[in-house]
Amino acid sequence: MRVGIAMLLGLALLPSPGPAAGPGKPAARYGVAADLDAYPQSTPKQALASTLKAVATKRFDYLVAQLAGPTFVDDRVKNVYAGKFAEQVEDTTARLDSVAVKQLARFLKDGEWAVKKDEALVRLKGVPGRVVRFRLREGRWYLEHPSAPPMAPKKKEGTDA
């Protein structure tokens, strides 16, 4: 009996890994809690608008932790920055200069959207070869890195290609 009580007490005194994500509430990443009210991601267009809002409010940590593709970010933090999330945030901040941000805003305002089940992209007329990609994961749309594989072409009706 004493051993059982001691074990329960020991478990109760263990440090918590951080705030638990409740039902329907996404987990914090790199210590940055998700705020889906301020930065919605229910559609790819919302995710792009949230990305621009994060830049405008200088929440680059939020952009990297909660809006950018988790697989890409996790790989970079682990393999490029030796686990130092802050260095990935600095790199992202440096890459998002005013020209890049203006172009993202143009994609949001004037872009032509192609949305499939779990992936989307937006193009601009007159800007060939440039797209912004998104991927749906666990009910949220994430901004993908430009090197993410392209969406598969639509099959033409009546063909196998």
Side-chain angles (χ1 to χ4, degrees):
M1 178 81 168
R2 286 184 189 169
V3 172
I5 293 172
M7 286 177 57
L8 284 173
L9 221 107
L11 288 173
L13 296 175
L14 284 175
S16 168
K25 184 175 179 181
R29 288 179 38 80
Y30 301 104
V32 180
D35 184 351
L36 300 181
D37 292 328
Y39 302 97
Q41 293 169 263
S42 297
T43 68
K45 198 168 189 174
Q46 282 182 337
L48 181 53
S50 291
T51 298
L52 289 165
K53 181 179 179 180
V55 170
T57 58
K58 302 198 181 315
R59 287 295 317 272
F60 294 99
D61 62 333
Y62 189 87
L63 189 158
V64 175
Q66 296 292 344
L67 296 166
T71 303
F72 174 77
V73 171
D74 292 348
D75 180 61
R76 295 266 302 176
V77 169
K78 179 181 176 187
N79 297 315
V80 176
Y81 296 112
K84 296 176 182 152
F85 175 71
E87 290 187 22
Q88 177 61 54
V89 173
E90 288 175 26
D91 179 61
T92 301
T93 304
R95 291 175 188 270
L96 284 171
D97 61 13
S98 64
V99 173
V101 173
K102 284 179 186 175
Q103 190 167 53
L104 283 174
R106 201 169 143 223
F107 274 99
L108 180 63
K109 181 181 177 216
D110 301 325
E112 296 176 342
W113 292 85
V115 181
K116 291 189 176 182
K117 181 180 173 183
D118 62 352
E119 57 188 357
L121 62 81
V122 58
R123 299 176 194 275
L124 285 174
K125 282 186 179 179
V127 185
R130 295 280 301 176
V131 298
V132 180
R133 299 181 193 285
F134 299 85
R135 185 153 320 267
L136 180 65
R137 293 189 177 117
E138 299 176 6
R140 293 169 62 193
W141 287 93
Y142 293 91
L143 181 68
E144 286 292 311
H145 186 268
S147 66
M151 291 175 61
K154 291 182 182 178
K155 288 185 177 182
K156 293 181 182 177
E157 287 186 36
T159 67
D160 292 332

